[in-house]
Amino acid sequence: KNDINELYKVLKSNYNFEKIIKVNDASRSQIFKAFKELRNITTDKDYVLIYYSGHGQKDSNQAFWIPREAEKDWGGGNWINTADISVAIKKIKAQHILLLNDSCFVGSAFKGNNEEILQKSSEEIEVRQIIKYFNQRARWFISSGGNSQVVDEVVNGHSLFAYKLIDLL
């Protein structure tokens, strides 16, 4: 809660976001309702920042966000598979989306595929190709950790990830 509230204050006072949707202590349905609202108000020219600060878990090589009403052990159907998050993000028409994830065990869940770029040498990548990539829709993911636990409260009631993010902004 502290991380979300402080980031909200910084974004509201220091940046010119047209709309900020803040959902504290979110249930599964509230999270997807926020994604739907975002999808409905976003155009293909927009830049979107999504910040998730909450619990994450891994089960059977799947990564999950754990909403407010979720049971501790998987099986209640309230855990949110990161594959469903990916689908929700793909439905948002924005030019660029940055998803900042501050939770345990979700760090490698949103890996992309860079094979087209990685197969070429630096000499083969021309400036016009780089410009082409910049003009395409982009989805970026930054996580506070990998496939392990991250520390919740490190500095002033914030996670280290949130503290540095807020400090930098």
Side-chain angles (χ1 to χ4, degrees):
K1 231 183 207 182
N2 293 336
D3 299 340
I4 293 169
N5 290 333
E6 192 63 32
L7 182 61
Y8 176 82
K9 286 182 206 171
V10 169
L11 294 176
K12 191 92 168 145
S13 62
N14 298 350
Y15 295 90
N16 192 22
F17 280 92
E18 196 168 305
K19 180 163 186 168
I20 300 175
I21 302 168
K22 181 175 82 149
V23 185
N24 276 342
D25 293 325
S27 66
R28 177 184 173 88
S29 66
Q30 288 171 318
I31 289 170
F32 283 106
K33 182 179 176 187
F35 274 118
K36 186 176 180 182
E37 180 181 356
L38 193 53
R39 183 187 76 209
N40 290 336
I41 65 172
T42 305
T43 73
D44 60 355
K45 296 189 181 352
D46 290 327
Y47 292 79
V48 173
L49 168 65
I50 300 168
Y51 176 70
Y52 174 76
S53 177
H55 295 291
Q57 191 57 267
K58 194 172 180 182
D59 188 285
S60 303
N61 289 325
Q62 300 282 322
F64 298 88
W65 285 359
I66 310 299
R68 176 190 66 214
E69 82 284 7
E71 296 175 16
K72 184 176 181 180
D73 294 324
W74 186 84
N78 292 326
W79 288 20
I80 303 171
N81 193 311
T82 54
D84 294 332
I85 300 300
S86 291
V87 169
I89 289 172
K90 285 178 185 174
K91 291 181 178 188
I92 299 170
K93 296 173 278 209
Q95 177 69 15
H96 294 166
I97 297 176
L98 172 60
L99 171 59
L100 301 173
N101 182 81
D102 193 3
S103 70
C104 301
F105 303 109
V106 182
S108 63
F110 294 96
K111 282 186 177 178
N113 182 352
N114 294 328
E115 288 180 24
E116 182 181 343
I117 296 170
L118 296 176
Q119 291 174 354
K120 297 182 180 190
S121 69
S122 58
E123 293 81 32
E124 293 177 290
I125 299 176
E126 297 177 15
V127 172
R128 65 186 139 94
Q129 286 177 305
I130 293 170
I131 292 170
K132 177 185 129 189
Y133 289 125
F134 279 123
N135 288 328
Q136 291 177 342
R137 288 173 45 143
R139 304 300 182 253
W140 293 85
F141 173 73
I142 300 174
S143 180
S144 60
N147 289 323
S148 60
Q149 282 188 295
V150 294
V151 182
D152 273 351
E153 294 184 21
V154 176
V155 183
N156 299 332
H158 298 292
S159 72
L160 184 58
F161 183 82
Y163 175 77
K164 283 313 295 176
L165 175 64
I166 292 163
D167 180 51
L168 289 168
L169 293 173

